[in-house]
């Protein structure tokens, strides 16, 4: 008997799960609570409840050869790194090419997944969905949860003493959309990851002053690497991972750090990561 599978979410992961399930001959149904595909890559002016939210200027930080599905290359005419709107276009091409839309139930949120009473014998799941306030339930042999991992903001206010007396505005980057509304303001960006660095740079063009705070440092690198190639094409290779495996740790760390210090000395800027090698 053909097994049926429920896939929750139609972002990158859900779409790949749907395509592969169909390819394997399973009967697949994908539930998506918004009215479109792409998950996080669909930029909206305001953060929506229960969906990850990005700022207007987000570009991919992996190059298009690394960022694409292996059996569906990103079109030749697209640039090396894609703006979020173009990456969303690509995901829509994928949906069209593999004819996935008819297996997706839009505006349908999964509200509960439970083991069936006969789970011990059948291994089946009862999936309850809600559409326009109406609930319905279906039985599935398996469930793939592809609901994303950037939905809930982490705002550790307890670690900022005196925050309750702070009269300015504070927020998680989930609510940050574009720099114009910070014109003339003094802004502190906490956290030197991809997002913190991106936002600090774009704010620096409009804000009066920007501080970027880092607890543990970071290797700062460009997407563009030797001879203008994307860094991940140059660095994430079999040759490189072979070297990393066979070289003594001290030597591979040294090579990595020299590469990271080619543009500027992290030590001079006080940026050497506390956990050194692992914080790329
Ligand atoms: C600012 C930013 C930049 C990033 N840049 C990159 C990058 O350059 N390269 C890279 O590889 N990764 C990047 N990422 C990581 C990103 O998480 C992945 O690229 C990818 O979007 C994750 O896809 P996903 O399908 O797991 O989740 P999502 O894209 O979050 O999709 C989840 C989907 O599930 C739906 N859903 C959730 N709950 C339910 C429910 N109960 N019922 C029905 N549907 C539900 C949501 O509506 C959504 O459509 C970035 C992340 C952020 C925040
Ligand atoms: C993005 O999401 C909004 C609301 O969830 C939706 O109305 C819109 O059609 C989506 N855009 C694209 C290009 O899919
Ligand atoms: C929800 O239920 C109402 C009342 O039974 C019905 O009129 C409506 O069409 C249903 N909506 C959906 C999306 O099924």
């Amino acid at each position: 008997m053909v097994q049926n599978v429920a896939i929750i979410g139609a972002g990158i992961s859900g779409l790949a799960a749907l395509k592969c399930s169909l390819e394997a001959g399973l009967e697949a149904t994908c539930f998506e609570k918004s009215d479109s595909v792409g998950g996080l890559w669909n930029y909206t002016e305001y953060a929506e409840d229960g969906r990850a939210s990005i700022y207007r200027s987000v570009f991919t930080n992996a190059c298009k050869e690394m960022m694409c599905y292996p059996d569906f290359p990103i079109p030749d005419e697209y640039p090396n790194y894609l703006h979020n709107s173009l990456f969303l276009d690509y995901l829509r091409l994928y949906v069209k090419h593999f004819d996935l839309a008819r297996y997706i139930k839009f505006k349908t949120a999964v509200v509960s997944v439970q083991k069936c009473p006969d789970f011990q014998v059948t291994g089946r799941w009862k999936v309850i969905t809600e559409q326009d306030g109406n609930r319905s339930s279906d039985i599935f042999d398996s469930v793939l949860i592809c609901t994303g991992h950037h939905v809930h903001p982490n705002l550790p206010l307890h670690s900022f003493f005196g925050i309750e007396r702070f009269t300015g505005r504070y927020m998680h980057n989930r609510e940050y959309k574009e720099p114009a509304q910070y014109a003339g303001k003094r802004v502190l960006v906490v956290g030197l990851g991809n997002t913190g660095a991106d936002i600090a740079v774009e704010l620096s063009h409009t804000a009066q002053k920007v501080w970027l705070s880092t607890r543990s440092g970071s290797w700062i690198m460009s997407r563009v690497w030797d001879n203008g190639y994307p860094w991940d094409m140059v660095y994430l290779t079999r040759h490189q991972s072979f070297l990393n495996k066979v070289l003594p740790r001290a030597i591979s760390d040294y090579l990595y750090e020299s590469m990271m210090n080619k543009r500027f000395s992290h030590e001079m800027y006080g940026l050497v990561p506390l956990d050194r090698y692992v914080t790329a």
Side-chain angles (χ1 to χ4, degrees):
M1 209 182 81
V2 179
Q3 300 251 318
N4 69 348
V5 52
I7 294 154
I8 312 176
I12 299 185
S13 317
L15 294 175
L18 176 57
K19 182 245 175 196
C20 293
S21 299
L22 293 168
E23 219 166 51
L26 304 174
E27 204 177 282
T29 309
C30 177
F31 299 105
E32 168 53 53
K33 73 174 168 196
S34 76
D35 59 7
S36 56
V37 300
L40 171 155
W41 292 96
N42 176 354
Y43 168 85
T44 48
E45 295 282 330
Y46 296 97
E48 284 170 21
D49 225 20
R51 193 165 70 83
S53 164
I54 55 174
Y55 40 100
R56 194 196 295 275
S57 64
V58 169
F59 266 76
T60 60
N61 53 16
C63 70
K64 68 178 190 178
E65 286 81 4
M66 291 286 183
M67 190 77 194
C68 66
Y69 293 114
D71 55 356
F72 191 70
I74 290 178
D76 279 350
E77 67 274 20
Y78 284 28
N80 288 348
Y81 293 96
L82 274 49
H83 184 251
N84 60 75
S85 55
L86 206 52
F87 189 71
L88 181 62
D89 282 350
Y90 163 73
L91 292 177
R92 291 154 59 117
L93 291 177
Y94 182 80
V95 169
K96 202 165 164 206
H97 182 80
F98 292 104
D99 194 17
L100 301 178
R102 59 202 176 104
Y103 302 96
I104 306 175
K105 295 200 164 152
F106 290 105
K107 290 187 169 172
T108 308
V110 171
V111 292
S112 123
V113 177
Q114 290 159 16
K115 288 177 180 170
C116 289
D118 60 1
F119 181 83
Q120 292 286 0
V121 187
T122 61
R124 289 197 176 138
W125 301 89
K126 180 174 165 189
V127 174
I128 300 178
T129 55
E130 194 173 289
Q131 188 188 32
D132 276 353
N134 298 347
R135 290 204 168 186
S136 58
S137 102
D138 296 285
I139 307 296
F140 289 93
D141 294 302
S142 44
V143 178
L144 289 163
I145 298 175
C146 306
T147 51
H149 57 150
H150 289 297
V151 179
H152 305 292
N154 175 22
L155 199 59
L157 292 183
H158 56 272
S159 53
F160 297 104
F161 295 114
I163 187 79
E164 65 286 349
R165 291 192 303 279
F166 177 61
T167 51
R169 188 171 164 223
Y170 60 82
M171 60 190 206
H172 187 270
N173 72 266
R174 173 181 162 74
E175 282 164 59
Y176 173 85
K177 291 294 168 181
E178 43 85 32
Q181 65 182 117
Y182 302 87
K185 296 206 179 345
R186 292 144 49 86
V187 189
L188 168 66
V189 179
V190 181
L192 174 52
N194 298 328
T195 299
D198 260 3
I199 291 178
V201 168
E202 68 178 19
L203 282 176
S204 72
H205 297 291
T206 56
Q208 184 196 116
K209 187 157 182 175
V210 179
W211 289 263
L212 176 56
S213 154
T214 175
R215 177 168 54 183
S216 47
S218 211
W219 298 116
I220 310 294
M221 53 189 291
S222 169
R223 292 176 174 97
V224 182
W225 214 247
D226 295 348
N227 303 315
Y229 284 103
W231 84 271
D232 40 356
M233 291 303 282
V234 178
Y235 191 71
L236 302 180
T237 59
R238 280 183 214 172
H239 171 72
Q240 195 61 46
S241 58
F242 171 75
L243 282 184
N244 286 345
K245 229 181 272 168
V246 298
L247 289 175
R249 178 73 192 264
I251 297 181
S252 61
D253 280 9
Y254 169 79
L255 290 175
Y256 186 79
E257 291 184 18
S258 338
M259 178 173 84
M260 288 298 165
N261 282 321
K262 255 198 291 196
R263 283 189 164 212
F264 69 94
S265 156
H266 285 67
E267 196 164 342
M268 196 160 73
Y269 282 81
L271 282 174
V272 177
L274 295 179
D275 51 2
R276 289 186 97 92
Y277 184 68
V278 286
T279 313

